[in-house]
Amino acid sequence: MTEPSDPAGLPAQQPPTPPPQPGPGPYAAQFGYTPVPVNNNLGWAIGGILVCWPFGIPSLIKSLAVNSLWAQGQFDQAQLAAAEAKKWGKIGIIVGASAYGLLILAYVVFFIVYAVLIGSLVATTQ
């Protein structure tokens, strides 16, 4: 059997394939495509440093590495570093806020116990 053709007897043509689209790469900007850099989560890192520095330091290190990795074209590693920075920043803020909450609770309990003891001392001396 022969290939299908149009009424004029010419063979049917395949539809044209679209040109390849440039992906994010080192030369993507010259083709009119600029990749959007990933959020480096520096705010989470700074919050983690201010509230609980042992967890904020890894967050800050990962956060500062994001832009460097992105500029080198290592987009997956930059995304991973941003996710790690956010994770460590959140852990630092949660742990630090919990510790400060427990500290305030301990002060409240201390002053209540102190007031009760002073009150009982005053009552027994009269």
Side-chain angles (χ1 to χ4, degrees):
M1 183 160 193
T2 62
E3 292 185 24
S5 61
D6 64 355
L10 298 174
Q13 295 182 349
Q14 298 291 332
T17 59
Q21 297 295 322
Y27 303 109
Q30 75 185 26
F31 296 114
Y33 175 78
T34 54
V36 178
V38 69
N39 182 6
N40 60 4
N41 296 309
L42 187 60
W44 285 108
I46 292 172
I49 289 265
L50 291 175
V51 177
C52 185
W53 64 268
F55 294 107
I57 289 175
S59 176
L60 185 65
I61 291 170
K62 292 291 185 179
S63 176
L64 294 176
V66 170
N67 291 338
S68 170
L69 291 169
W70 188 266
Q72 294 172 9
Q74 299 175 358
F75 304 111
D76 293 335
Q77 288 85 2
Q79 192 76 25
L80 181 65
E84 288 284 318
K86 188 173 186 178
K87 178 185 81 169
W88 284 109
K90 281 184 176 182
I91 289 172
I93 288 174
I94 290 169
V95 168
S98 300
Y100 284 130
L102 289 174
L103 181 66
I104 290 170
L105 183 64
Y107 276 125
V108 168
V109 168
F110 172 75
F111 285 118
I112 289 173
V113 169
Y114 185 71
V116 168
L117 289 176
I118 294 295
S120 69
L121 277 174
V122 170
T124 57
T125 58
Q126 290 180 357

